[in-house]
Amino acid sequence: MKKALITGITGQDGSYLADLLLEKGYEVHGIIRRASTFNTSRIDHLYQDPHVNGVRLFLHYGDLSDSLNLTRLIDRIEPEEIYHLGAQSHVRVSFDIPENTGDITALGTIRILEALREAQVPARFYQASSSEMFGKVQEVPQTERTPFWPRSPYAVAKVYAYWATVNYRESYGLYATNGILFNHESPRRGETFVTRKITRAVARIKLGMQKELYLGNLDAKRDWGYAKEYVEGMWRMLQQPEAEDYVLATNETHSVREFCEIAFAHAGLHWEDHVKYDKRYERPAEVELLIGDYSKAKAKLGWEPRVKFDALTRLMVDADIEFARTGRLPPSA
């Protein structure tokens, strides 16, 4: 039985990845931060699964700022695969807390890599890199060879983590891979991220629980895919004979405005009647256009996206309508 360690297991990607690895027969270990409230809602369903039932899923308290504990955990667990998904991952918030973002998102990666090297555990390492690293894009579409031009403290921290991963691969021979993932969404997306903020508001407006939705730049364009599919790409990266870096994307770009149009229309609403502009949600430096070329992932990993923009938007709206009605996401979400 393979063992995998996931940082950020309680997040959107971490929860879907845990689902996938458990289905494949892995023993899964996750690092979670101690909090005064429960923050495991995205993975609680796994403890109700009779095939898991706590036997193959283990959670450990830890923090990406605590290098000693990270080393101890890796040494004790001895995982074959490490998926480093944990980060301060909100781009707009990173402008407000740049130091914390750098400490957790950038240096947190170094701490994991050093822990892996010090423990001398021959694990394969996945680094969750981001399309935000391309920022002020230098070519369209963006590939694994496109130069980075980060436009936020979050993106700067991710560039640091990306090159740290490459450096440890080249300097110490670690199997270390960067997955440069473009925006990937789902009903499990955090409610402060723009897509989930929109679909949650659509559901609440549809049910008479809310009247208006405040957003920033409606013209920003992103390459949006389905997170549930993207975690399979992560897994496939670590199954290759040699570590390389890959872009996962849909090769389509759509604006926030388009997302609003489809989401509200799917619920029988007109978005212009409810969406209001609020300059507080604007970034000091905006990323105007992201669109990724996933041809390398298709050729080498056999990976390509199946759920595209329209279907993804409708899927999220349907899930949030059920969530607004019942307080629970649908089982398939």
Side-chain angles (χ1 to χ4, degrees), residues 63-77:
D63 196 284
L64 292 174
S65 64
D66 187 349
S67 57
L68 181 58
N69 185 56
L70 292 172
T71 303
R72 286 173 175 166
L73 283 173
I74 290 174
D75 184 56
R76 185 167 75 245
I77 297 167

Side-chain angles (χ1 to χ4, degrees), residues 79-302:
E80 280 91 355
E81 297 171 5
I82 297 176
Y83 296 87
H84 179 37
L85 313 182
Q88 190 304 98
S89 59
H90 198 288
V91 177
R92 177 62 190 85
V93 171
S94 76
F95 285 99
D96 299 325
I97 52 171
E99 183 178 344
N100 175 263
T101 300
D103 183 37
I104 300 303
T105 305
L107 294 181
T109 304
I110 281 286
R111 293 181 185 114
I112 290 276
L113 287 166
E114 269 296 286
L116 182 56
R117 187 174 74 88
E118 286 292 326
Q120 297 185 347
V121 173
R124 296 188 170 196
F125 175 82
Y126 172 86
Q127 163 60 20
S129 290
S130 168
S131 60
E132 287 286 331
M133 300 188 304
F134 295 120
K136 189 175 179 179
V137 298
Q138 301 302 290
E139 63 180 2
V140 177
Q142 294 87 55
T143 73
E144 293 82 3
R145 297 190 176 189
T146 302
F148 302 136
W149 193 318
R151 300 269 283 172
S152 67
Y154 167 78
V156 170
K158 282 292 187 181
V159 170
Y160 180 102
Y162 171 93
W163 284 116
T165 301
V166 173
N167 183 256
Y168 273 67
R169 181 169 73 214
E170 295 178 349
S171 300
Y172 303 115
L174 297 186
Y175 189 110
T177 292
N178 282 289
I180 308 172
L181 272 56
F182 281 65
N183 290 63
H184 45 290
E185 317 298 317
S186 76
R188 297 185 193 178
R189 189 60 143 151
E191 294 174 359
T192 60
F193 290 84
V194 68
T195 51
R196 184 75 196 288
K197 184 178 178 181
I198 292 168
T199 60
R200 182 176 181 271
V202 167
R204 291 172 60 82
I205 291 169
K206 176 71 174 178
L207 299 177
M209 302 165 67
Q210 183 175 329
K211 291 184 178 180
E212 296 176 333
L213 168 64
Y214 290 90
L215 297 173
N217 181 13
L218 296 179
D219 297 317
K221 293 183 177 180
R222 296 290 186 271
D223 184 323
W224 275 306
Y226 186 25
K228 195 172 185 178
E229 297 179 343
Y230 282 47
V231 299
E232 183 180 345
M234 298 176 189
W235 175 78
R236 291 191 182 196
M237 290 179 205
L238 294 196
Q239 311 315 306
Q240 302 308 301
E242 295 183 2
E244 297 184 48
D245 306 319
Y246 298 89
V247 162
L248 298 187
T250 69
N251 201 29
E252 294 181 7
T253 189
H254 299 275
S255 68
V256 176
R257 189 187 311 275
E258 289 177 78
F259 196 99
C260 285
E261 290 170 355
I262 294 172
F264 277 89
H266 186 58
L269 302 167
H270 297 287
W271 74 274
E272 298 98 328
D273 296 337
H274 304 283
V275 175
K276 308 296 181 184
Y277 172 75
D278 190 332
K279 67 178 181 179
R280 290 178 299 176
Y281 296 115
E282 293 274 6
R283 300 179 185 179
E286 182 59 86
V287 174
E288 301 294 346
L289 168 66
L290 291 174
I291 177 171
D293 179 351
Y294 64 90
S295 57
K296 179 181 177 181
K298 182 177 181 180
K300 291 201 167 188
L301 306 179

